[in-house]
């Protein structure tokens, strides 16, 4: 037993003073609202799909009304579940198993979606929100297309709501109720993870709208420039949330789990990465459809694939197939139900695509050397990476399932296969945005990029001189992407070729979509710089007693003290570490080990100080018996902050692009088809 760690937790019981009637009524109303949402979702699906065929304007107008009603119903159910968690109603099994009266309010709320059943309600709520948004802001769409889009969203939502109501009911009662709940998983009691699932789910589920547009277009047998303009904002919005969600999850694992890394190629991490890769390809393909009416079939297939991968991630997390810190424990019937929904959604959409793809002939043409071709190259490598990650993630569990053979595919495999495929994407990101549509000349573009190439080469030579070749390649690639994006903007505003005032005016006049795209590329370059910088990290694991010091990364690390400290629902042991350079103390860190009495779980809380270009990172790993000291993991991480700053800049760039009025409402008028499709 570690000294001092088993001291009193300092927990304060939060008494529930709500009336008994509220205990009984609120969860039952939530359950009723969930059942009502199922009925409304299927009504929305049936009417939305079949009303356009009846050519009845009243029936088509019913689909938006049903979508809004469906959203209100599932919203009421979700609020009812949150209410049960906030007031610690332990007659609800979900609350008793995953919450506690001693847990701070924010974690009683986030505990609602920190488990299997509650997370499915959140998933369905976001899906209904997507449908309600299309219903409320889709007045510019043709009535038949909007009805079919809402119909597809209704059928998908109805299937998952039926799953939630039948085999994953979050309102199941427990009697007699316990005096207190089991509590929230200690590693989930963190503000970052409280917001990570909603943001990530919004990205996952948001691609359902692009999927619905694709299925509606297949039913109509028509895709044109207007369709590309309608799909693009939805794909971009979902991509922004998915980017932010992945970055937030990576940041959380970096500072909470205490292992000092940002990405482990965990199967569930990979499940989030897959739709991001195909969603990025979809986003770029939608531009080609809008500009040139080319790549129509491929864009539709990417929309289907992206949402299918989002659904697959939902299945893998909840089926028990993958072992991960992110996974939920699930019963076999739950996994089979989701697998059935997956088969119907993916199989049905691919069958429809196979039937209708011949009518999606491309009308636009372009030269092999053009921006369209650069985007096609981007798609090829993004989808190649997605294929490698997909196979590497799913091959071991399926081999185990079919043959009983235990395989393990870890970070070395993914690093050695993904990084070579990422190289051409990094090179093309510098050249592609500066190429002309339809037909381009390569030599003038390369002349404009001489400074970006020189900076990249200089970075490579400096870092490679210290025998860090892999890091040199990554840092050079990141510098190339950032400088190429800056060069593109400099060329647009004619920097140094006209007066500063004229350049500033041209900068302010740039379309926000172009500014957002540039920021997206700069953010990606920053992320590449951060990932490459982390390969230069220095680490030491050492046991120190108070008063002892060690050297790492040019600093002297001294353990000053170990002491107890109370927490809201835990006790903790805190190590005080000072860092000095040339004998002068310039920083103090306080890593801690927390003991949660309710779950009898110990967690590590890393202490991190950053200046924006490097992280000083310390973890209090353990107190070895009889040593009188602490086992510490000390790290110096160059450029680590750029990983998450880059993700933030990428998401911000997408948001700025969305604010461009032309992207939101400037869809071109739809041309009348030469012949109606039955």
């Amino acid at each position: 037993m570690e000294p001092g760690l088993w001291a009193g937790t300092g927990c304060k019981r939060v008494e529930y003073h709500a009336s008994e009637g509220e205990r009984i009524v609120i969860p039952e109303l939530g359950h009723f609202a969930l059942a009502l949402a199922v009925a409304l979702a299927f009504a929305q699906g049936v009417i939305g799909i079949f009303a356009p065929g009846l050519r009845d304007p009243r029936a088509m107008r019913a689909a938006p009304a049903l979508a809004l009603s469906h959203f209100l119903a599932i919203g009421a159910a979700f609020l009812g579940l949150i209410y049960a968690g906030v007031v610690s109603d332990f007659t609800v099994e979900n609350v008793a198993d995953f919450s506690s009266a001693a847990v701070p309010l924010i974690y009683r709320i986030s505990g609602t979606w920190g488990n299997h059943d509650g997370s499915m309600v959140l998933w369905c709520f976001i899906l209904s929100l997507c449908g309600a948004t299309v219903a409320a802001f889709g007045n510019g769409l043709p009535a038949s297309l909007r009805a079919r889009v809402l119909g597809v969203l209704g059928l998908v939502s109805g299937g998952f709501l039926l799953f939630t109501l039948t085999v994953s009911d979050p309102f199941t009662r427990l009697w007699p109720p316990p005096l207190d709940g089991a509590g929230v998983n200690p590693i989930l009691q963190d503000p970052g993870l409280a917001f990570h699932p909603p943001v990530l789910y919004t990205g996952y589920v948001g691609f359902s709208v692009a999927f619905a547009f694709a299925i509606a277009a297949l039913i109509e047998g028509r895709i044109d420039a207007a369709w590309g303009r309608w799909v693009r904002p939805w794909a971009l919005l979902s991509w922004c949330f998915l980017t932010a969600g992945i970055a937030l999850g990576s940041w959380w694992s970096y500072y909470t789990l205490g292992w000092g890394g940002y990405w482990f190629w965990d199967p569930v991490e990979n499940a989030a990465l897959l739709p991001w890769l195909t969603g990025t390809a979809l986003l770029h393909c939608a531009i080609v459809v809008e500009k040139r009416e080319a790549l129509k079939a491929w864009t539709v297939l990417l929309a289907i694939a992206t949402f299918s991968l989002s659904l697959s991630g939902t299945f893998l997390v909840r089926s028990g197939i993958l072992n991960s810190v992110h996974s939920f424990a699930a019963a076999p019937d739950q996994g089979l139900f989701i697998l059935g929904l997956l088969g119907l959604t993916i199989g049905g959409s691919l069958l429809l695509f196979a039937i209708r793809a011949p009518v999606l002939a491309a009308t636009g043409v372009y030269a092999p050397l053009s921006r369209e071709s650069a985007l096609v190259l981007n798609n090829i490598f993004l989808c190649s990476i997605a294929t490698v990650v997909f196979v590497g993630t799913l091959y071991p569990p399926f081999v185990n399932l079919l043959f009983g053979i235990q395989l393990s595919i870890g970070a070395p495999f993914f690093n050695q296969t993904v990084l070579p495929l990422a190289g051409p994407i990094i090179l093309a990101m510098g050249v592609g945005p500066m190429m002309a549509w339809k037909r381009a000349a390569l030599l003038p573009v390369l002349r404009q990029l001489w400074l970006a190439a020189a900076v990249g080469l200089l970075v490579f030579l400096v870092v490679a001189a210290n025998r860090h070749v892999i890091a040199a390649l990554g840092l050079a690639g990141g510098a190339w992407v950032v400088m190429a994006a800056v060069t593109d903007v400099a060329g647009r505003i004619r920097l140094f070729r006209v007066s500063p005032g004229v350049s500033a005016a041209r900068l302010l006049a740039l379309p926000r979509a172009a500014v957002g795209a540039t920021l997206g590329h700069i953010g990606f370059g920053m992320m590449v710089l951060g990932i490459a910088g982390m390969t230069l990290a220095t680490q030491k694991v050492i046991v120190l007693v108070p008063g002892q010091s060690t050297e790492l990364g040019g600093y002297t690390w001294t353990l000053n003290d170990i002491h107890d400290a109370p927490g809201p629902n835990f006790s903790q042991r805190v190590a005080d570490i000072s860092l000095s350079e040339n004998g002068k103390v310039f920083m103090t860190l306080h890593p801690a080990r927390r003991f949660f009495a309710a779950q009898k779980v110990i967690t590590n809380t890393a202490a991190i100080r950053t200046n924006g270009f490097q992280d000083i990172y310390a973890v209090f790993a353990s107190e070895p018996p009889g040593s009188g000291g602490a086992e510490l993991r000390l790290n110096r991480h160059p450029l680590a902050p750029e990983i998450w700053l880059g993700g933030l800049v990428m998401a911000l760039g997408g948001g700025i692009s969305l604010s461009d009025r032309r992207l939101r409402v400037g869809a071109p008028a739809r041309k009348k088809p030469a012949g109606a499709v039955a």
Side-chain angles (χ1 to χ4, degrees):
M1 183 177 297
E2 298 184 15
L5 198 56
W6 306 97
T9 64
C11 300
K12 295 182 179 180
R13 167 115 179 141
V14 179
E15 297 294 341
Y16 170 48
H17 298 292
S19 68
E20 192 65 26
E22 289 176 341
R23 283 179 178 269
I24 297 172
V25 171
I26 298 298
E28 300 308 324
L29 287 177
H31 192 273
F32 172 77
L34 193 62
L36 178 62
V38 174
L40 291 170
F42 279 117
Q44 171 189 333
V46 172
I47 292 176
I49 293 293
F50 293 103
L54 301 175
R55 301 182 183 276
D56 185 347
R58 291 176 300 177
M60 286 189 283
R61 285 196 298 268
L66 286 167
L68 293 170
S69 302
H70 164 214
F71 167 68
L72 292 175
I74 187 63
F78 190 44
L79 287 176
L81 189 60
I82 291 176
Y83 175 84
V86 168
V87 302
S88 298
D89 184 356
F90 300 127
T91 65
V92 178
E93 186 175 6
N94 185 274
V95 177
D97 289 344
F98 300 103
S99 186
S100 169
V103 173
L105 176 61
I106 184 175
Y107 304 130
R108 276 181 276 152
I109 296 174
S110 64
T112 303
W113 54 77
N115 58 84
H116 179 276
D117 298 342
S119 68
M120 287 306 304
V121 179
L122 174 63
W123 205 96
C124 295
F125 172 74
I126 296 173
L127 184 56
S128 70
L129 176 61
C130 292
T133 306
V134 174
F137 300 102
N139 295 326
L141 297 172
S144 61
L145 181 66
R146 180 166 70 158
R148 286 188 170 120
V149 168
L150 292 174
V152 174
L153 291 173
L155 290 179
V156 173
S157 181
F160 280 94
L161 283 169
L162 186 63
F163 163 79
T164 304
L165 187 65
T166 54
V167 299
S168 186
D169 186 0
F171 294 102
T172 300
R173 289 292 194 171
L174 181 65
W175 196 262
L179 294 176
D180 200 358
V184 177
N185 186 337
I187 67 170
L188 304 183
Q189 294 186 36
D190 179 86
L193 205 68
F195 300 105
H196 163 61
V199 174
L200 186 70
Y201 283 10
T202 303
Y204 266 149
V205 180
F207 281 111
S208 65
V209 181
F211 170 81
F213 268 98
I215 298 302
L218 289 174
I219 295 173
E220 288 190 344
R222 185 179 180 200
I223 294 182
D224 53 17
W227 180 90
R229 178 68 66 89
W230 291 325
V231 168
R232 190 173 156 205
W234 289 103
L236 181 57
L237 179 64
S238 306
W239 181 88
C240 290
F241 275 100
L242 189 57
T243 301
I246 292 174
L248 189 59
S250 172
W251 180 57
W252 167 80
S253 66
Y254 173 74
Y255 75 81
T256 298
L257 299 184
W259 58 289
Y262 60 93
W263 192 262
F264 192 63
W265 293 106
D266 178 277
V268 179
E269 290 177 338
N270 295 348
L273 178 63
L274 286 169
W276 186 88
L277 291 168
T278 55
T280 305
L282 168 65
L283 188 58
H284 290 82
C285 261
I287 300 174
V288 180
V289 174
E290 177 190 341
K291 298 288 186 182
R292 307 297 309 154
E293 293 200 23
L295 303 179
K296 296 179 181 179
W298 179 241
T299 304
V300 169
L301 188 59
L302 280 175
I304 294 172
T306 301
F307 186 56
S308 297
L309 288 171
S310 297
L311 293 179
S312 300
T314 301
F315 166 70
L316 294 173
V317 173
R318 291 164 174 80
S319 63
I321 289 179
L322 299 179
N323 293 319
S324 166
V325 68
H326 305 78
S327 300
F328 296 113
D333 59 339
Q334 293 177 337
L336 290 174
F337 199 116
I338 296 180
L339 184 61
L341 287 175
L342 208 64
L344 285 174
T345 304
I346 299 175
S349 59
L350 290 178
L351 177 62
L352 180 61
F353 176 80
I355 295 172
R356 303 294 271 173
V359 305
L360 304 179
T363 57
V365 293
Y366 50 87
L369 193 60
S370 62
R371 188 180 296 191
E372 292 91 337
S373 296
L375 292 174
V376 170
L377 181 68
N378 160 287
N379 271 239
I380 290 172
F381 283 101
L382 283 172
C383 292
S384 298
I385 294 174
T387 301
V388 168
V389 175
F390 183 83
V391 173
T393 303
L394 292 185
Y395 183 71
F398 277 104
V399 166
N400 183 36
L401 182 66
L402 294 176
F403 306 108
I405 301 174
Q406 294 284 347
L407 293 178
S408 177
I409 295 181
F413 166 81
F414 292 107
N415 291 336
Q416 293 170 16
T417 53
V418 169
L419 293 182
L421 293 172
I425 294 177
I426 292 173
L427 288 175
M429 284 182 69
V431 179
M434 302 182 69
M435 299 181 72
W437 292 102
K438 194 173 182 179
R439 188 182 307 265
L442 184 59
L443 188 58
V445 173
L446 294 179
R447 285 174 179 167
Q448 294 179 65
L449 290 171
W450 70 268
L451 180 59
V455 171
L457 180 61
L458 179 63
V459 170
F460 174 80
L461 292 176
V462 170
V463 180
N466 295 318
R467 300 183 180 180
H468 299 296
V469 178
I470 300 298
L473 288 171
L475 292 171
W480 157 261
V481 172
V482 172
M483 289 300 300
V486 172
T487 300
D488 186 20
V489 173
R492 288 170 181 260
I493 65 175
R494 301 180 63 82
L495 188 65
F496 303 129
R497 287 180 286 174
V498 296
S499 67
V502 173
S503 291
R506 292 176 67 92
L507 178 62
L508 293 175
L510 283 178
R512 276 175 282 179
V515 174
T518 300
L519 281 178
H521 283 205
I522 290 175
F524 183 83
M526 292 172 62
M527 187 177 65
V528 172
L529 287 171
I531 292 172
M534 281 288 284
T535 64
L536 302 174
T538 53
Q539 182 185 52
K540 178 181 287 189
V541 180
I542 190 170
V543 176
L544 298 178
V545 298
Q548 284 189 329
S549 302
T550 188
E551 300 291 327
L552 177 69
Y555 304 138
T556 300
W557 306 59
T558 303
L559 176 62
N560 297 317
D561 185 34
I562 304 173
H563 62 273
D564 295 324
N569 63 325
F570 55 82
S571 63
Q572 60 181 340
R573 294 277 286 169
V574 180
D576 295 335
I577 303 171
S578 62
L579 277 78
S580 58
E581 187 175 18
N582 299 324
K584 183 177 181 180
V585 175
F586 66 93
M587 184 184 300
T588 303
L589 301 175
H590 306 283
R593 286 171 55 75
R594 294 177 175 176
F595 171 63
F596 293 81
Q599 298 87 4
K600 294 183 172 56
V601 171
I602 299 173
T603 64
N604 296 321
T605 301
I608 306 172
R609 290 290 184 89
T610 182
N611 61 6
F613 296 98
Q614 74 167 358
D615 282 349
I616 302 299
Y617 185 107
V619 177
F620 184 1
S622 67
E623 291 184 80
S627 68
E631 180 185 349
L632 304 175
R633 288 202 294 269
L634 311 177
N635 304 263
R636 184 178 182 182
H637 294 158
L639 296 178
E642 272 54 56
I643 298 175
W644 302 286
L645 287 175
L648 178 63
V649 171
M650 290 168 69
L652 176 63
I656 291 175
S657 293
L658 279 171
S659 71
D660 193 321
R661 186 174 182 275
R662 296 181 306 167
L663 189 64
R664 291 183 286 111
V665 299
R670 208 166 198 186
K671 299 176 184 178
K672 293 183 179 181
V677 178

